[in-house]
Amino acid sequence: MSDSGMQIRSDINSVLAQMRSMRASVSSELTQNLREVDRPEPGVQNLAAGHRSEFGTLLSDAVNSVNSLQKSASAQASAFARGESDDLVQVMIAGQKASVGFQALTQVRNRVVSAYQDIMNMPI
């Protein structure tokens, strides 16, 4: 193998090692965060009820967050259309954030509905 081929292979191996390192650190952070979320609050007797309210709170927060993103994007677009703002880049970014948030929320809703249907179709 030539020197340039060995250099390319070395560079590729270096990039792969960095990617593996990043994946491991993200994986450990996610595992730690999931452990923190799964810890029951002190004094919670009914774990199922505790998780149900946490899920409801998370879902409600997500809907409120997407709603605020959409309102912000709409307000920025209206201000741009009225000539009060000349920052088209920020208007487009706000619109894309709102769009991505709405798509993610729609996917979560679809998964929840699918899981509910699967549970309801289970034989007893």
Side-chain angles (χ1 to χ4, degrees):
M1 212 181 251
S2 69
D3 288 340
S4 64
M6 301 246 330
Q7 179 64 29
I8 291 172
R9 180 168 280 240
S10 173
D11 291 344
I12 290 172
N13 287 334
S14 172
V15 169
L16 286 173
Q18 289 174 353
M19 290 172 65
R20 288 182 185 119
S21 172
M22 283 187 229
R23 182 178 63 184
S25 73
V26 168
S27 176
S28 66
E29 287 177 26
L30 283 174
T31 303
Q32 180 63 28
N33 289 342
L34 288 174
R35 285 185 189 137
E36 290 174 7
V37 168
D38 285 340
R39 275 190 210 129
E41 295 178 21
V44 174
Q45 298 298 321
N46 186 351
L47 290 178
H51 285 290
R52 197 174 318 124
S53 67
E54 284 180 19
F55 178 75
T57 302
L58 288 174
L59 192 59
S60 176
D61 290 346
V63 169
N64 291 334
S65 175
V66 169
N67 186 38
S68 70
L69 283 173
Q70 288 179 333
K71 285 181 181 179
S72 173
S74 177
Q76 288 183 11
S78 295
F80 183 79
R82 288 189 306 265
E84 296 172 0
S85 171
D86 61 347
D87 195 1
L88 180 59
V89 173
Q90 290 302 318
V91 173
M92 297 304 295
I93 290 172
Q96 288 300 311
K97 282 182 181 179
S99 176
V100 168
F102 184 74
Q103 290 172 4
L105 187 62
T106 302
Q107 290 298 320
V108 169
R109 186 222 38 205
N110 292 344
R111 296 283 175 122
V112 169
V113 169
S114 176
Y116 174 79
Q117 289 173 342
D118 289 345
I119 290 170
M120 294 307 291
N121 290 330
M122 284 183 182
I124 296 176

